[in-house]
Amino acid sequence: MKSKVREIAESVLITLVIVVPIRLFVAQPFIVSGTSMDNTFHDGQYLVVDELTYDFRAPQRGDVIVFKYPDTAQATAGQNDLGKYLIKRVIGLPGETVIVSDNTVTIKNAANPNGFTLSEPYVSSDLGTHQEDVDITLPAGEYFVMGDNRAVSYDSRLWGPLPKSDITGRVIARILPPQVFGILPGKASFAQ
């Protein structure tokens, strides 16, 4: 009997020492809610979010990230939205100018002072009718993020830049449903 109790105690201790710190500081689960990232991610998909990478490097254009509902968006949010997490794609980086017009995104930065247009094969729709043109220069430590389903996405076009401090992490795995399992799902690279 004592060995059985000891086995259970050891299992609980191992869980507390290994699993709980991983869950709290390394990675956490996230379930997609809504259609703002269609066709890349769909409602109900189960993802794993890496919370460590951005401690060692800055977010990159094309990363799919999960973040706390930004303070800048709270003024237009309904009470049910506060405290939620959102999933979007990083489009603009600190110091860059992001121009969104006529269903295209143009980035101006030090390497491309005249700008370059993003090729975005992951976008599932046009910008939608709810969007005015955007022309914004991002301050240090802030990012421009957009959903892949532009017509319905509530993103930086409406509430402005996202502070790095609000970013929880990047999506590193899609676990469920099993037929769409993948590592770094939605990864995008951009030629400039």
Side-chain angles (χ1 to χ4, degrees), residues 1 3 9 13 49 96 98 100 102 121 132 147 192:
M1 179 69 170
S3 67
L13 183 61
V49 177
E96 293 183 330
V98 178
V100 181
D102 296 327
E132 299 292 326
Q192 296 181 22

Side-chain angles (χ1 to χ4, degrees), residues 103-159:
N103 293 322
T104 62
V105 178
T106 303
I107 304 293
K108 291 183 180 180
N109 56 27
N112 300 281
N114 294 324
F116 65 94
T117 301
L118 291 183
S119 172
E120 301 181 287
Y122 48 79
V123 173
S124 67
S125 64
D126 65 19
L127 297 176
T129 57
H130 70 282
Q131 179 53 45
E132 299 292 326
D133 289 349
V134 173
D135 186 334
I136 185 171
T137 300
L138 300 167
E142 295 194 357
Y143 296 83
F144 196 88
V145 298
M146 295 172 73
D148 290 355
N149 187 359
R150 302 284 162 83
V152 300
S153 182
Y154 182 63
D155 54 38
S156 288
R157 294 172 294 162
L158 300 169
W159 41 257

Side-chain angles (χ1 to χ4, degrees), residues 49-68:
V49 177
D50 160 24
E51 297 179 303
L52 284 179
T53 295
Y54 296 146
D55 289 338
F56 302 101
R57 73 161 175 86
Q60 298 174 351
R61 187 179 344 277
D63 286 356
V64 177
I65 62 171
V66 171
F67 54 93
K68 289 184 243 171

